[in-house]
């Protein structure tokens, strides 16, 4: 089948290659699926954007004088961002990652198109605290690892040589959020420039940046709404424009709303224009109103998007602009004391919506820590959507902009959390830094239709009531319009229960709240009870205690069939609890859908529906069968491998009415109804009965089970299983999920090698080590030092990460067992092809980034980790355990 690659509107309408001594600038149209500083591209807008990811020089550790322009960095590694300071094993929890200073340097020249423009570097995020230098001069200091940093480059001259140097420090630091020591943290501060870097050139009259302007409910583009119904909707566009020229300028602010796809063969298109005169240095905001008739409303099921194209025109010339992608939707959280007498709960587009079921999400990935390319951000969102989820809580910090874009596109609501977890600093100014993070988050994310709630407090933290009320007020001040994303927080924290829009609680809390006079675990006599909607921030955790962390919902994929099935069934029970509601309880988020590294425990978090490489576990199919409607996708999935160790009972996950299970070609056949996504066929598997067919009757081909999903008496989906026989060959596949590898030196995909029998059934119990080799325009991330290559087979498969070079082309991957022999499984080969990067690039010296083996080496350094006594470690862990228990666990 042919792949069709679609591109759309472009920032610039030309293709130019300019070769300068020691520098390479590639000028190509920007990929339309990438937003930069809030904007998708708009053809001939006047704004120029270059990908600045390639060509960085990197040094792990501190080094004197590294900020100087003439510092000799020729021996440093050449890397591309997103970049992690240290590749880690897939199971590298317990503070094994590097913490400390790392340096990045990039030699560059401004492209000639920057002449006469205001130019900035836009870092989407750098972990920890940062000091940034241009030609040896300090130009920026920044604290925090999750929000954008903008560095002005003007008045640098086109044609001159420049060096940007970044000192990034992910050490523990209590003076800014999150503040908590990593050794007591439930995630990790993976270091580095781990998100994209962009070079942006704007004309002297241009749209401002909302985060940099630092104005309440101001700056940049702010799209808000009023009077939304299925008949019409009012869309308001606030556009702030600044004149950085030396003389007054009169311009026209133009906003055009266009539906992203034609509806009924009629595409919505409306334009508003407003003239504006600006004095030198002046910034003013224009508000324009657009009425949309019969709008296509955004929902998780139908995530319809509109594009607002903004231009600042001087006559016919477009000086600046970009595309803001929006979704029109109304929502309301109705209390039990609703003045209109409505049933409590969550209402979307005027109708009470079904339960919001979703998951939390850390940005952690195998080997590379937080350094995910945009394609993997999208794939993560797609995997969550494929589980049937409708809401994601960002744990415990704002996510990559491309993840937010993906949630808009795919239909996933978002709860955006301010950075923090189980830590409060009483020192003066700490609370202000938390609040500033919240303001910046809202300014960055306010136009996303996926944003449903802000979490402006510190997760699982006891904080003063004054702080809670200030945080709530910020969400109102920064979004002072109808359909404001609401504020959510834990109901047991000071100031929350009486004031917040949504409170975090547990299934059943709404039943307890029905009778304020009844003594219960949650609400003793005389205490206040919640009247607002209740939501579970983290469900599924059933630990024995918060020190050991033994838990039914945590199962490494390597442990095999029974642990993963028990995990799935435990999560199934927890998930179905979320549907018991009076209406006031509106849903919850699973903790946590992807395995990830942690600071405070030697084990990774193994509770994911997918492992750290995003290979699915049994729970992924369980969620899909439980949450997806069969009208969306009929599902039948056999959670049984027919091994000699498999359970006698056969579990099948399905969203059909009933399932028919047939064994041995019809020797046995049962049909049972589906209950809450699960069917259990008791004693359906007997290894010795199967052995009779294969050994005694010499008819191993008949040892199979077939599950058929039935709706309204008709078979709508089928799955067949057979036991895997001896290991005879390897098989490779690329986990692309419809997105090809992009040749930008940063993108990567997961390639998986499976051990199979002659018929292609995965040999789940195989124990091999797989050695991978590669030819062409790709590179393997990691080596034997971190267990990446060779890679051990776990539950029948061994994954690797393949990163692109900057040259599009074919990539041949070969897999073979580490120790071949006569009867060893035969090798496998896979050819994939990367596609050209559809965007402007501003690469560094020699243009060699992403083409050096050193880019992926494992750093062996003295991380100088603090040496604590056993008693001190015990004290710190006891504090964590107490804080975890303080906020409760799933009952």
């Amino acid at each position: 089948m042919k792949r069709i690659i679609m591109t759309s509107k472009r920032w610039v309408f030309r293709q130019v290659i300019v070769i300068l001594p020691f520098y390479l600038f590639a000028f190509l149209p920007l990929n339309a699926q990438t937003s930069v500083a809030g904007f998708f591209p708009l053809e001939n807008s006047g704004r120029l954007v270059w990908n600045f990811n390639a060509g960085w020089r990197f040094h792990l550790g501190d080094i004197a004088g590294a900020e100087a322009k003439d510092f000799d960095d020729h021996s440093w590694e050449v890397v591309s961002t997103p970049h992690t300071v240290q590749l880690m094993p897939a199971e590298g929890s317990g503070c094994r990652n590097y913490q400390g200073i790392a340096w990045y340097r990039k030699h560059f020249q401004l492209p000639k198109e920057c002449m006469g423009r205001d130019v900035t570097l836009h870092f989407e995020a750098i972990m920890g605290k940062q000091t940034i230098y241009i030609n040896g001069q300090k130009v920026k200091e920044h604290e925090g690892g999750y929000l954008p940093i903008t560095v002005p480059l003007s008045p640098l001259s086109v044609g001159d040589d420049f060096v940007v140097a970044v000192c990034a420090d992910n050490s523990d630091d209590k003076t800014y959020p999150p503040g908590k020591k990593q050794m007591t943290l439930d995630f990790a501060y993976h270091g580095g420039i781990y998100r994209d870097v962009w070079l942006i050139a704007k004309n002297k009259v241009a749209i401002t940046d909302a985060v940099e302007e630092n104005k309440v409910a101001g700056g940049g583009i702010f799209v808000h709404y009023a009077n939304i119904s299925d008949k019409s909707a009012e869309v308001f566009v606030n556009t702030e424009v600044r004149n950085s020229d030396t003389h007054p300028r009169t311009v026209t602010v133009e906003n055009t709303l266009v539906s992203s796809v034609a509806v009924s063969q009629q595409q919505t298109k409306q334009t508003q224009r407003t003239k504006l005169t600006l004095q030198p240095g002046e910034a003013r905001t224009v508000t324009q109103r657009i009425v949309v008739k019969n709008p296509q409303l955004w929902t998780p099921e139908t995530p319809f998007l509109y594009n607002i194209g903004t231009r600042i025109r001087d006559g016919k010339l477009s000086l600046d602009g970009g595309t803001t992608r929006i979704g029109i939707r109304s929502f309301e959280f109705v209390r039990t004391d609703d003045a209109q007498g409505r049933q409590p709960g969550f209402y979307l587009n005027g109708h009470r919506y079904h339960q919001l079921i979703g998951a939390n999400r850390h940005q952690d990935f195998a080997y590379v820590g937080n350094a995910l390319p945009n394609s993997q951000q999208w794939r993560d969102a797609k995997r969550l959507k494929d589980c049937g989820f409708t809401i994601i809580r960002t744990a415990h910090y704002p996510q990559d902009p491309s993840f937010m874009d993906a949630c808009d596109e795919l239909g996933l609501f978002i709860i955006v959390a301010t950075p923090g977890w189980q830590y409060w600093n009483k020192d003066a100014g700490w609370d202000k830094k938390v609040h500033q993070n919240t303001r910046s988050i809202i300014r960055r994310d306010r136009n996303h239709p996926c944003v449903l709630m802000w979490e402006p407090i510190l997760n699982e933290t006891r904080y003063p009531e004054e702080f809670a009320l200030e945080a709530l007020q910020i969400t109102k001040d920064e979004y002072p319009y109808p359909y404001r994303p609401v504020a959510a927080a834990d109901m047991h924290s000071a100031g929350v229960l009486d004031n917040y829009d949504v409170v975090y609680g547990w299934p059943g809390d709404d039943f307890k709240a029905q009778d304020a006079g009844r003594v219960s675990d949650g609400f003793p006599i005389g205490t206040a009870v919640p009247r607002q909607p209740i939501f579970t921030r983290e469900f599924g955790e059933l630990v024995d205690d918060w020190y050991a962390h033994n838990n039914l919902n945590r199962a490494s994929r390597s442990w095999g069939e029974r642990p993963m099935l028990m995990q799935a069934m435990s999560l199934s029970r927890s998930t179905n609890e979320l549907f018991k509601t009076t209406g006031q309880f509106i849903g919850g988020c699973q903790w946590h859908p992807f395995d990830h590294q942690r600071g405070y425990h030697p084990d990774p978090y193994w509770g994911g529906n997918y492992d750290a490489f995003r290979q699915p576990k049994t729970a992924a199919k369980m969620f899909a069968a439980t949450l997806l409607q069969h009208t969306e996708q009929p599902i039948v999935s056999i959670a049984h491998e027919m091994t000699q160790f498999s359970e006698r009972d056969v579990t099948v996950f399905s969203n059909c009415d009933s399932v028919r299970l047939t064994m041995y070609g019809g020797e046995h056949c049962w049909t049972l109804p589906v209950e809450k996504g699960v069917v259990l066929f008791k004693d359906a598997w007997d290894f010795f009965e199967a052995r009779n067919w294969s050994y005694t009757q010499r008819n191993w081909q008949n040892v199979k089970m077939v599950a058929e999903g039935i709706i309204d008496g008709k078979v709508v989906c089928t799955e067949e299983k057979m036991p895997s026989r001896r290991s005879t060959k390897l098989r490779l596949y690329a986990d692309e999920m419809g997105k090809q590898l992009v040749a930008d030196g940063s993108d990567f995909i997961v390639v998986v090698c499976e051990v199979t029998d002659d018929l292609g059934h995965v040999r789940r119990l195989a124990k091999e080590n797989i050695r991978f080799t590669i030819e062409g325009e790709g590179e393997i991330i990691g080596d034997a030092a971190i267990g990446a290559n060779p890679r051990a087979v776990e539950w029948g498969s061994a994954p690797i990460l393949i990163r692109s070079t900057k040259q599009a082309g074919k990539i041949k991957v070969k897999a073979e067992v580490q120790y071949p022999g006569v009867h060893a499984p035969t090798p496998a080969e896979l050819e994939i092809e990367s596609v050209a990067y559809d965007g402007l690039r501003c690469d560094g010296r020699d243009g060699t980034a992403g083409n050096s083996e050193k880019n992926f080496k494992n750093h062996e350094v003295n991380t100088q980790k603090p040496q604590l006594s056993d008693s001190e470690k015990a004290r710190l862990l006891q504090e964590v355990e107490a804080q975890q228990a303080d906020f409760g666990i799933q009952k």
Side-chain angles (χ1 to χ4, degrees), residues 28-43:
L28 299 170
L30 184 65
N31 188 322
Q33 299 306 309
T34 301
S35 71
V36 178
F39 280 132
F40 286 86
L42 180 65
E43 187 175 46

Side-chain angles (χ1 to χ4, degrees), residues 97 99 127 146 170 172 178-180 182 185 187-191:
N97 60 299
Q99 284 189 271
M127 184 51 67
Y146 305 101
N170 67 331
D172 294 335
K180 193 176 181 71
Q182 184 182 260
L185 195 68
F187 51 101
Y189 299 135
H190 296 292

Side-chain angles (χ1 to χ4, degrees), residues 265-330:
Q265 299 180 341
Q266 269 193 332
Q267 190 176 50
T268 301
K269 184 173 182 179
Q270 295 190 54
T271 299
Q272 293 289 328
R273 297 181 180 91
T274 304
K275 277 201 169 183
L276 183 66
T277 299
L278 296 165
Q279 299 302 312
E282 184 182 15
R284 290 175 59 189
T285 298
V286 169
T287 300
Q288 295 164 314
R289 173 177 172 266
I290 299 172
V291 177
V292 182
K293 297 296 184 182
N294 302 313
Q296 299 294 309
L297 301 181
W298 189 98
T299 73
E301 293 73 28
T302 57
F304 189 89
L305 296 173
Y306 292 85
N307 292 328
I308 294 179
T310 305
R311 293 183 187 274
I312 311 303
R313 291 189 181 274
D314 185 350
K316 293 184 178 180
L317 177 65
S318 183
L319 300 177
D320 191 34
T323 298
T324 305
R325 206 165 61 173
I326 68 164
I328 300 174
R329 76 284 183 268
S330 69

Side-chain angles (χ1 to χ4, degrees), residues 422-427 430-431 434 458 461-464 467:
Q422 293 188 359
Y423 184 76
W424 176 258
N425 188 332
K426 297 180 180 178
D427 294 345
W430 163 265
D431 55 343
V434 177
L458 300 167
T461 302
R462 296 291 183 184
Y463 38 76
F467 168 82

